[in-house]
C-alpha cells in the first residue's frame, strides 16, 4: 500500500511540477495567437522530455551518476567546461525567470510592484534551498502546482467547439494573419519550454539524492510516463483556454495576469484565486529546482560534495554556489528587467543548449560499462536517435529564427 | 553499488574507465574528480602510481598552452603559498575499488598531499605519434594491465583524437545507437593499439616515436 501511495505521490508531483514560468508564458502566447495549431510541437517536446528524463533517471539509478558527471566523463574536461558554461547560463537565466515569476504572482495578489517583492522572494527561496528537506521541496510545490488544473476546467467551462479545436491541432492549421517564420519560431520556443535542460539535471540529481537503485526504475518510469504526459495536458489546456478567450480579442500576452485571464473569464474570482496559487506554486517549485540545478551541475563537474542528502556543512561549496546564484538572480531582476521577457529568452536558449546534455546521456544510456543489462533497448534508441536529430535542428534554428522574427513579433 | 565490480582487477583503458571519474571516500562523501593520473617509470615499465586532483590538475588538462598559462595564473593568485602549481595527489594504493566511481579506503578529510613527482597522463594523451618520422595520429588512451597489485601501462591507443575520443565507440563495436556509432566510428576509423615496448616517449617534445 505504501508503495502505491509513493507512486501516486510521484505522479502527482510530476504533473504539478511539469509546468513552470516558461510553459505558462509560452503556451499562453502561442494559444492567443496560433490556437491549437502548434500543439504538435508541445507533443514532440513531451516525447523528448520523457525519453531524456527516463534515460537520465535510469543512468542515475543503475550507476549512481548524475548528468554533469557523465558530461565530464564522456566529453572530457575541455569540452565539458564549454558545455557547463553554456548549460549554466541557460539554467541561471531560467532561475531568474522563475524568481521573477514568483514575484509577479505575488504582485497579482498584493498589487505591490514586483521589483519590490524580488529581494523577499530570493531570500525565501535561498532559505528553503538551504534548510528544507529535499522531499519537501520536490513534493510540496508539485502537489500545490496541481491548482493549474483550473486551466482544464476553464476550457470545459468555456464550452468550446471541440471539433474545431481538434481539427486545428490535427491539421496544424496556422491562422492566416500570422507568418510562417513566427510560426516556426514559436514551434522552437514551445519545444524549448517543454524540454528545459534543468528539468533533467534536477531529475537525475534528485534520483541520486533519493538513492535510487535498479529496483526504483519501475517507479521512476511511472512518474515519467504517466506524470509528464498529464503535465503536458495542462500545457495544452493553457493553449486552448488562451485561444478561446484571448484569440478573438487579438490580445498578445505580455504579462502574467494575461496568462491567468482566461481562467478569470471562465470561472470568475474563485478561478482567479486558484490560478494564482497555481502560478505561485509552479514558479516557486521551479525556482527551487533551477537554483539547485546550478549548484548540482557545477559541483558535479568539479567533483565536490553536492546535494541535500548531506548536512549543509558537508557541502559548503555547493551551498555557496546556490547562494551566489540567488544573489545574481535577484540582482538582475532588481534592474527592473521584465521577467516575462527573460522567460521568452530563456525558453529559446533552452532549445539552443539542449544537445549539450542530451547527447552525452544518450551515449551513456547505451554504455554497458555503466549500465550492464539496463542499456537502451531498440525502441528507446530508435526514438532517441530521431529525437537527437530534432534536438539538433531546433538548437541550430533557434537563434536565426529569434533574430529573423524579432522574437516572434 | 556492490564491491563485486572492481575495474582495477581486470585490464582497462585509463582515459575511458578511470580519468574524470568521481572520487568517493569511505563514508560515501564526494572528494573531487580524478583530474589526472600520475605515471611513474619503474623496472617493469610505466605504471599508474597516483590519482591527481584539484584545481591545478584540472587546469593542466584544459590544454597545452592555455592550460599552462592558467596554472601560472592560479599560482600568481597567491604567491605566498608554496607549490600551487603542483597538483594534489592521492596514492593509487589508497583506492579500494572502482566502479562507476573511484572509492577511497579512508575518509576524505586531509587526504591530499603535495608530493607529486613523475609524469601526468594528461601530458601523454594528445602527444603526436611518429612512425619513421611520419605522423600517424595522436595518443588518445592507454591500456593498463594489473600485475601483482601494480597498474602497468601495456599499450597506447593511437587514433585521430579530437571530438569523440572519450565516447568509447572506437573500442566497442556493439554500443548503440546505430547512427551515433556509425558517425563516430567513421570519424575515428584507423584507431589502433601500439605496445608500449615499441614506443619511445619524448616528454619534452611531446612526441612518441615508434
Amino acid at each position: 500500500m505504501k508503495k502505491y501511495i509513493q507512486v501516486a505521490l510521484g505522479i502527482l508531483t510530476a504533473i504539478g511540477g511539469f509546468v513552470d514560468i516558461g510553459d505558462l508564458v509560452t503556451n499562453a502566447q502561442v494559444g492567443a495567437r496560433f490556437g491549437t495549431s502548434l500543439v504538435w510541437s508541445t507533443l514532440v517536446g513531451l516525447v523528448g522530455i520523457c525519453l531524456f528524463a527516463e534515460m537520465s533517471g535510469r543512468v542515475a539509478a543503475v550507476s549512481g551518476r548524475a548528468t554533469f558527471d557523465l558530461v565530464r566523463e564522456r566529453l572530457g574536461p575541455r569540452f565539458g567546461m564549454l558545455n557547463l558554461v553554456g548549460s549554466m547560463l541557460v539554467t541561471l537565466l531560467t532561475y531568474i525567470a522563475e524568481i521573477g515569476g514568483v514575484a509577479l504572482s505575488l504582485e497579482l495578489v498584493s498589487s505591490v510592484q514586483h521589483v519590490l517583492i524580488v529581494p523577499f522572494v530570493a531570500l525565501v527561496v535561498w532559505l528553503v534551498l538551504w534548510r528544507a528537506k529535499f522531499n519537501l521541496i520536490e513534493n510540496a510545490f508539485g502537489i500545490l502546482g496541481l491548482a493549474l488544473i483550473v486551466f482544464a476546467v476553464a476550457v470545459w467551462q468555456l464550452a468550446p467547439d471541440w471539433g474545431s479545436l481538434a481539427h486545428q491541432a490535427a491539421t496544424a492549421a496556422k491562422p492566416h494573419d500570422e507568418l510562417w517564420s513566427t510560426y516556426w519560431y514559436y514551434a522552437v520556443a514551445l519545444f524549448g519550454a517543454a524540454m528545459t535542460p534543468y528539468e533533467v539535471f534536477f531529475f537525475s540529481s534528485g534520483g541520486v539524492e533519493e538513492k535510487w537503485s535498479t529496483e526504483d526504475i519501475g517507479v521512476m518510469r511511472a512518474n515519467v510516463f504517466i506524470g509528464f504526459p498529464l503535465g503536458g495536458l495542462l500545457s495544452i489546456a493553457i493553449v486552448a483556454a488562451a485561444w478561446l478567450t484571448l484569440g478573438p480579442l487579438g490580445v498578445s500576452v505580455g504579462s502574467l495576469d494575461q496568462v491567468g485571464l482566461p481562467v478569470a473569464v471562465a470561472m470568475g474570482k474563485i478561478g482567479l484565486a486558484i490560478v494564482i496559487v497555481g502560478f505561485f506554486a509552479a514558479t516557486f517549485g521551479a525556482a527551487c529546482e533551477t537554483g539547485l540545478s546550478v549548484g548540482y551541475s557545477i559541483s558535479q563537474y568539479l567533483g565536490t560534495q553536492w546535494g541535500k542528502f548531506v548536512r549543509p556543512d558537508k557541502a559548503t561549496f555547493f551551498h555557496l554556489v546556490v547562494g551566489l546564484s540567488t544573489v545574481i538572480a535577484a540582482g538582475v531582476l532588481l534592474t527592473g528587467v521584465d521577467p516575462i521577457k527573460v522567460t521568452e529568452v530563456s525558453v529559446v536558449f533552452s532549445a539552443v543548449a539542449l544537445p549539450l546534455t542530451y547527447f552525452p546521456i544518450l551515449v551513456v544510456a547505451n554504455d554497458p560499462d555503466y549500465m550492464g543489462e539496463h542499456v537502451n533497448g531498440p525502441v528507446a534508441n530508435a526514438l532517441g536517435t530521431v529525437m537527437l536529430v530534432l534536438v539538433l535542428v531546433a538548437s541550430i534554428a533557434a537563434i536565426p529564427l529569434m533574430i529573423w522574427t524579432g522574437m516572434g513579433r | 553499488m556492490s564491491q563485486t565490480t572492481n575495474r582495477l582487477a581486470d585490464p582497462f583503458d585509463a582515459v575511458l574507465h578511470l580519468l574524470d571519474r568521481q572520487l568517493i571516500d569511505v563514508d560515501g562523501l564526494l572528494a573531487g574528480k580524478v583530474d589526472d593520473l600520475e605515471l611513474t617509470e619503474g623496472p617493469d615499465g610505466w605504471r599508474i602510481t597516483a590519482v591527481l586532483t584539484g584545481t591545478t590538475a584540472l587546469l593542466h588538462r584544459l590544454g597545452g598552452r592555455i592550460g599552462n598559462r592558467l596554472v601560472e595564473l592560479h599560482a600568481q593568485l597567491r604567491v605566498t603559498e608554496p607549490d600551487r602549481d603542483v597538483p594534489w595527489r592521492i596514492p593509487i594504493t589508497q583506492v579500494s575499488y572502482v566502479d562507476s566511481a573511484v572509492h577511497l579506503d579512508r575518509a576524505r578529510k586531509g587526504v591530499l598531499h603535495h608530493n607529486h613527482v613523475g609524469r601526468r597522463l594528461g601530458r601523454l594523451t594528445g602527444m603526436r605519434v611518429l612512425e619513421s618520422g611520419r605522423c600517424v595520429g595522436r595518443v588518445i588512451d592507454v591500456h593498463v594491465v594489473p600485475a601483482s597489485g601494480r597498474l602497468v601501462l601495456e599499450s597506447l591507443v593511437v587514433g585521430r583524437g579530437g571530438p569523440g575520443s572519450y565516447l568509447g565507440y572506437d573500442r566497442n563495436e556493439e554500443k548503440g545507437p546505430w547512427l551515433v556509432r556509425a558517425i563516430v566510428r567513421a570519424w575515428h576509423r584507423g584507431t589502433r593499439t601500439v605496445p608500449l615496448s615499441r614506443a619511445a616517449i619524448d616528454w619534452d617534445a611531446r612526441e612518441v616515436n615508434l
Side-chain angles (χ1 to χ4, degrees):
Chain A
M1 190 62 203
K2 201 177 163 207
K3 179 129 184 157
Y4 289 108
I5 292 175
Q6 198 194 352
V7 173
L9 186 68
I11 290 171
L12 290 177
T13 304
I15 300 170
F18 185 83
V19 175
D20 69 352
I21 187 78
D23 298 282
L24 288 170
V25 170
T26 318
N27 283 303
Q29 286 177 334
V30 167
R33 288 176 59 176
F34 297 90
T36 55
S37 65
L38 276 164
V39 161
W40 63 267
S41 182
T42 303
L43 293 178
V44 173
L46 193 56
V47 173
I49 193 70
C50 286
L51 278 169
F52 195 8
E54 193 274 337
M55 283 195 289
S56 68
R58 182 154 39 89
V59 173
V62 176
S63 72
R65 303 269 66 83
T67 308
F68 264 87
D69 285 336
L70 308 173
V71 167
R72 168 92 192 257
E73 285 162 22
R74 287 289 70 99
L75 299 180
R78 218 180 325 177
F79 196 65
M81 173 78 86
L82 290 177
N83 198 315
L84 178 73
V85 171
S87 299
M88 279 315 92
L89 287 179
V90 173
T91 306
L92 196 58
L93 205 57
T94 316
Y95 191 32
I96 296 168
E98 306 290 354
I99 290 184
V102 179
L104 288 177
S105 315
L106 294 175
E107 182 181 329
L108 293 182
V109 186
S110 65
S111 301
V112 176
Q113 226 278 333
H114 71 267
V115 175
L116 295 173
I117 308 177
V118 162
F120 165 74
V121 173
L123 183 69
V124 174
V125 168
W126 173 70
L127 279 174
V128 167
L129 295 184
W130 181 34
R131 303 304 301 189
K133 282 211 172 0
F134 182 82
N135 285 338
L136 181 81
I137 298 173
E138 196 186 25
N139 295 332
F141 297 106
I143 302 286
L144 210 54
L146 288 173
L148 291 174
I149 289 174
V150 282
F151 275 103
V153 181
V155 174
W156 177 64
Q157 288 275 314
L158 290 166
D161 177 358
W162 295 101
S164 84
L165 280 182
H167 181 76
Q168 194 187 18
T171 54
K174 173 184 74 71
H176 298 295
D177 54 345
E178 296 287 353
L179 300 169
W180 280 112
S181 55
T182 46
Y183 180 86
W184 285 105
Y185 170 76
Y186 277 109
V188 170
L190 279 175
F191 187 68
M195 247 182 121
T196 321
Y198 84 82
E199 291 169 4
V200 168
F201 307 158
F202 179 76
F203 191 71
S204 69
S205 304
V208 178
E209 292 258 22
E210 296 181 323
K211 302 192 167 57
W212 286 350
S213 68
T214 48
E215 288 157 26
D216 299 305
I217 291 178
V219 175
M220 180 273 291
R221 283 191 173 141
N223 292 349
V224 170
F225 293 137
I226 303 173
F228 284 11
L230 290 175
L233 274 185
L234 286 186
S235 290
I236 294 169
I238 296 172
V239 168
W243 174 242
L244 293 170
T245 50
L246 308 180
L249 304 173
V251 175
S252 72
V253 175
S255 66
L256 194 61
D257 56 326
Q258 288 168 325
V259 177
L261 195 57
V263 178
V265 170
M267 299 166 70
K269 275 184 190 165
I270 301 281
L272 190 61
I274 299 173
V275 88
I276 292 174
V277 170
F279 285 166
F280 174 77
T283 50
F284 199 97
C288 291
E289 295 183 8
T290 43
L292 285 175
S293 294
V294 175
Y296 285 151
S297 306
I298 294 176
S299 303
Q300 282 161 14
Y301 176 87
L302 293 171
T304 53
Q305 181 69 53
W306 52 269
K308 303 281 303 161
F309 60 98
V310 294
R311 293 211 326 262
D313 63 346
K314 296 208 187 287
T316 316
F317 178 82
F318 168 74
H319 284 281
L320 184 69
V321 171
V322 171
L324 281 179
S325 23
T326 312
V327 170
I328 294 172
V332 171
L333 287 165
L334 284 176
T335 63
V337 64
D338 180 7
I340 301 293
K341 274 273 169 284
V342 178
T343 306
E344 290 173 31
V345 176
S346 77
V347 294
V348 175
F349 278 91
S350 290
V352 176
L354 258 180
L356 296 177
T357 38
Y358 180 83
F359 177 69
I361 288 193
L362 180 65
V363 169
V364 173
N366 274 287
D367 195 336
D369 218 57
Y370 288 84
M371 302 300 290
E373 58 184 313
H374 298 283
V375 288
N376 272 6
V379 178
N381 264 346
L383 287 171
T385 309
V386 172
M387 196 51 68
L388 177 66
V389 174
L390 290 176
V391 159
L392 281 172
V393 170
S395 168
I396 294 165
I399 291 179
L401 278 171
M402 186 168 88
I403 295 169
W404 188 16
T405 62
M407 290 195 68
R409 271 197 297 270
Chain B
M1 291 283 112
S2 69
Q3 201 174 325
T4 48
T5 51
N6 182 11
R7 264 268 156 223
L8 301 187
D10 298 307
F12 64 95
D13 290 343
V15 174
L16 215 49
H17 301 132
L18 198 52
L19 206 56
D20 293 314
R21 297 290 173 127
Q22 181 69 50
L23 292 168
I24 301 182
D25 83 350
V26 76
D27 303 315
L29 295 170
L30 309 181
K33 290 275 178 189
V34 180
D35 289 311
D36 213 334
L37 291 165
E38 180 187 272
L39 306 178
T40 309
E41 195 170 24
D44 46 358
W46 288 97
R47 43 194 179 90
I48 296 175
T49 44
V51 166
L52 302 176
T53 183
T55 315
T56 307
L58 176 62
L59 292 179
H60 269 304
R61 288 281 308 291
L62 292 181
R65 203 172 299 167
I66 299 170
N68 289 339
R69 183 74 191 119
L70 287 172
V71 171
E72 263 173 45
L73 284 173
H74 175 66
Q76 278 172 20
L77 281 176
R78 196 172 156 82
V79 287
T80 47
E81 186 187 316
D83 299 331
R84 269 177 78 91
D85 53 351
V86 177
W88 292 99
R89 177 181 188 275
I90 302 173
I92 199 77
T93 48
Q94 294 179 7
V95 171
S96 62
Y97 67 103
V98 174
D99 46 31
S100 74
V102 176
H103 296 261
L104 303 177
D105 67 356
R106 58 197 66 203
R108 65 179 181 174
K109 193 173 181 191
V111 78
L112 300 179
H113 288 281
H114 244 152
N115 53 355
H116 160 66
V117 285
R119 303 294 187 176
R120 288 179 290 108
L121 176 67
R123 193 153 168 81
L124 178 59
T125 54
M127 277 192 190
R128 298 197 318 145
V129 180
L130 304 171
E131 193 163 30
S132 47
R134 200 171 55 89
C135 180
V136 292
R138 290 180 182 276
V139 178
I140 59 173
D141 207 340
V142 292
H143 195 60
V144 182
V145 178
S148 57
R150 293 176 160 175
L151 300 172
V152 180
L153 270 57
E154 190 212 42
S155 49
L156 303 174
V157 181
V158 178
R160 178 175 194 151
S165 305
Y166 302 90
L167 296 176
Y169 285 100
D170 46 358
R171 274 155 279 168
N172 184 341
E173 294 171 23
E174 305 279 292
K175 190 168 133 184
W178 174 84
L179 182 69
V180 178
R181 179 179 66 221
I183 292 172
V184 177
R185 278 183 74 87
W187 177 260
H188 286 278
R189 69 182 177 279
T191 298
R192 59 176 179 150
T193 313
V194 180
L196 209 59
S197 53
R198 273 191 58 211
I201 305 170
D202 184 340
W203 292 93
D204 296 322
R206 294 208 69 207
E207 280 173 1
V208 176
N209 289 288
L210 301 182

